[in-house]
């Protein structure tokens, strides 16, 4: 582990006595220099810690481009003929953006000229990688936050599960404990204190009702703030979220007392979430019920909620094979991997307003 991040977290844990897990995860992933997503080693692909769908093959992005074309462009161009605004949050190494833009350029060249692609990305290392990969697409820009837009198709892949979460545990009398981190002189250990924050309590009572005693849930307030800010900025939009997760009724099976929070290192799951801050990814399964509820509160409609495989098939993934005059074994393998090789927990949520 990098000594500097360890020192930094140790100091924080000692100073604060109780370091909320949220702060520990936020620093472990996004510390400006030593964070897992900000340091120099890329987490993606064979030499990294995990594969995401865009890493498998550009056909994932090509299917997304077809979906955007079918479900957004035609309707939008009637009202806003000059511009198609696409926004991607947390674009990783830029492969998805490249695949989407290249598909537009190849299939709808006139429309490609009207596409403005904005990336909102927190990691300077990822921004550099994205800029190198996307240099040949002229209408891409990078912004630290979403700009004011009258209309936009906004999407992300494995962005929501990369946001830091609060961890809480149910007690025998129905109250809640907040989990935090302290330093015992040798290693980081978990600590508990009564949960008093009103927003966290509200969430825990709403989504943790059915949870057995001593079980944990993750609380992702950042995603709810993110959706609120999108609603305040974009007048007409679609929000398409690809991520691991489930509706709340299926998210926390009884045999899983410590929730869904876990680490990833060298393509292996690490159950000790405090083990190597900054060295491994820390992620959780997304509570899609909370995203749908938040959408409803913002006046949005849930337009689609489906598994990734079904989404890709209905977006035309299989037709990409038959369109090719010659059989492409690499493409066939990638399609098989995208349809069968990803966990069935991979979901797609489309919301609109
Ligand atoms: C798990 S990676 C997924 C990358 C890419 N979408 C893919 O599928 O390969 C999460 C991405 O979200 C970015 N990210 C995390 N928090 C962010 C934030 N608050 N704003 C913008 N980007 C963020 C990370 O830097 C990283 O690029």
């Amino acid at each position: 582990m990098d000594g500097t991040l360890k020192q930094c977290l140790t100091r924080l844990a000692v100073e604060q006595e109780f370091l909320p897990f949220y702060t520990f995860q936020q620093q472990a992933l996004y510390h400006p220099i030593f964070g897992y997503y900000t340091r120099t080693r890329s987490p993606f692909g064979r030499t990294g810690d995990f594969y995401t769908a865009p890493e498998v093959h550009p056909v994932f992005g090509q299917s997304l481009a077809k979906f955007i074309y079918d479900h957004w462009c035609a309707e939008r161009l009637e009202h806003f003929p000059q511009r198609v605004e696409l926004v991607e949050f947390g674009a990783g190494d830029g492969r998805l953006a490249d695949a989407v833009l290249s598909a537009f350029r190849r299939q709808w060249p006139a429309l490609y000229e009207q596409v403005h692609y904005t990336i909102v990305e927190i990691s300077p290392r990822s921004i550099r990688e994205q800029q190198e990969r996307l240099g040949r697409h002229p209408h891409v820009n990078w912004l630290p936050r979403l700009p004011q837009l009258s209309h936009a198709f906004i999407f992300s892949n494995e962005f929501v599960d990369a946001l830091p979460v609060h961890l809480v545990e149910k007690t025998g009398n129905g109250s809640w404990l907040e989990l935090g981190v302290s330093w015992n002189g040798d290693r980081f250990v978990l600590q508990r204190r009564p949960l008093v924050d009103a927003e966290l309590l509200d969430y825990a009572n709403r989504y943790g009702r059915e949870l057995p005693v001593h079980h944990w849930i993750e609380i992702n307030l950042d995603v709810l703030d993110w959706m609120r800010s999108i609603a305040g900025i974009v007048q007409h939009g679609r929000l398409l979220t690809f991520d691991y997760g489930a509706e709340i009724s299926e998210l926390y099976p009884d045999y899983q007392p410590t929730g869904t929070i876990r680490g990833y290192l060298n393509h292996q799951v690490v159950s000790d979430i405090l083990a190597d801050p900054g060295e491994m990814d820390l992620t959780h399964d997304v509570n899609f019920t909370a995203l749908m509820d938040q959408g409803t509160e913002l006046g949005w409609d849930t337009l689609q909620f489906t598994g990734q495989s079904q989404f890709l098939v209905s977006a035309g993934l299989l037709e990409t094979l038959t369109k090719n005059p010659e059989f492409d074994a690499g493409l066939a393998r990638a399609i098989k991997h995208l349809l069968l090789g990803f966990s069935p927990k991979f979901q797609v949520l489309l919301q609109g307003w």
Side-chain angles (χ1 to χ4, degrees):
M1 173 163 82
D2 190 300
T4 316
L5 182 58
K6 188 175 175 182
Q7 278 165 13
C8 181
L9 279 168
T10 308
R11 198 171 50 244
L12 267 182
V14 170
E15 270 167 20
Q16 299 194 9
E17 284 174 20
F18 181 97
L19 184 66
F21 178 77
Y22 173 91
T23 312
F24 179 88
Q25 185 183 6
Q26 209 280 334
Q27 290 292 307
L29 298 184
Y30 303 111
H31 181 282
I33 300 166
F34 305 113
Y36 178 77
Y37 281 105
T38 40
R39 65 190 183 157
T40 45
R41 184 171 90 86
S42 169
F44 305 107
R46 188 179 304 177
T47 56
D49 298 318
F50 53 84
Y51 279 105
T52 59
E55 307 287 319
V56 172
H57 195 279
V59 73
F60 178 80
Q62 288 158 11
S63 304
L64 173 58
K66 175 80 168 47
F67 182 88
I68 296 171
Y69 180 82
D70 289 345
H71 290 84
W72 180 246
C73 291
E75 177 201 333
R76 282 300 102 194
L77 284 171
E78 246 176 57
H79 304 289
F80 304 97
Q82 302 310 323
R83 237 169 134 104
V84 176
E85 297 286 355
L86 303 184
V87 180
E88 182 181 359
F89 273 83
D93 61 13
R95 277 175 213 265
L96 181 57
D98 190 27
V100 168
L101 286 166
S102 300
F104 267 91
R105 188 173 49 198
R106 202 172 44 251
Q107 297 182 59
W108 310 288
L111 190 56
Y112 173 72
E113 297 302 326
Q114 290 160 266
V115 169
H116 286 246
Y117 199 109
T118 299
I119 292 182
V120 183
E121 169 60 61
I122 201 174
S123 157
R125 182 191 47 72
S126 289
I127 292 176
R128 281 195 298 278
E129 244 179 298
Q130 293 157 12
Q131 287 176 337
E132 275 166 33
R133 191 177 301 278
L134 297 169
R136 61 210 170 92
H137 297 290
H139 307 302
V140 185
N141 65 329
W142 283 262
L143 295 175
R145 63 191 65 82
L146 196 61
Q148 202 77 34
L149 292 169
S150 57
H151 61 107
F153 190 102
I154 303 162
F155 56 95
S156 68
N157 185 62
E158 297 205 41
F159 162 73
V160 177
D161 73 1
L163 298 174
V165 292
H166 296 266
L167 287 182
V168 299
E169 179 180 305
K170 199 173 199 175
T171 72
N173 62 15
S175 63
W176 294 91
L177 296 172
E178 181 182 3
L179 295 177
V181 178
S182 65
W183 175 251
N184 74 357
D186 178 41
R187 60 194 167 88
F188 294 110
V189 288
L190 280 177
Q191 255 195 324
R192 287 157 175 80
R193 71 177 178 189
L195 179 64
V196 288
D197 179 276
E199 204 178 353
L200 293 174
L201 269 173
D202 201 39
Y203 187 108
N205 288 325
R206 185 169 185 182
Y207 296 111
R209 264 195 318 268
E210 307 298 329
L211 211 67
V213 172
H214 302 312
H215 283 220
W216 304 359
I217 58 170
E218 299 86 18
I219 302 186
N220 187 340
L221 293 186
D222 285 7
V223 70
L224 305 183
D225 287 346
W226 174 66
M227 291 173 70
R228 218 174 280 127
S229 78
I230 291 174
I233 288 176
V234 179
Q235 266 173 281
H236 304 284
R238 295 286 181 275
L239 179 64
L240 183 69
T241 305
F242 292 88
D243 226 313
Y244 283 92
E247 291 192 67
I248 190 66
S249 54
E250 303 193 345
L251 196 57
Y252 296 108
D254 285 357
Y255 58 80
Q256 214 172 308
T258 54
T260 67
I261 186 88
R262 60 200 179 274
Y264 272 102
L265 183 65
N266 296 326
H267 300 270
Q268 305 287 326
V269 175
V270 180
S271 51
D272 182 356
I273 53 174
L274 307 183
D276 275 325
E279 285 303 300
M280 63 178 183
D281 191 20
L282 284 171
T283 184
H284 68 287
D285 289 352
V286 172
N287 173 1
F288 276 100
T289 306
L291 270 58
M292 288 188 257
D293 288 346
Q294 177 72 334
T296 305
E297 277 160 36
L298 295 168
W300 299 358
D301 295 316
T302 294
L303 302 174
Q304 242 189 71
F305 179 56
T306 183
Q308 174 177 278
S309 306
Q310 200 180 334
F311 175 89
L312 290 174
V313 169
S314 59
L317 181 75
L318 294 170
E319 279 96 82
T320 53
L321 255 188
T322 46
K323 262 194 215 142
N324 272 358
E326 293 189 12
F327 180 70
D328 178 340
L331 177 63
R333 261 197 310 278
I335 290 176
K336 186 174 164 204
H337 187 84
L338 285 168
L339 295 182
L340 304 172
F342 274 77
S343 156
K345 284 206 257 174
F346 218 101
Q347 309 288 336
V348 189
L349 172 64
L350 178 68
Q351 296 166 293
W353 63 98

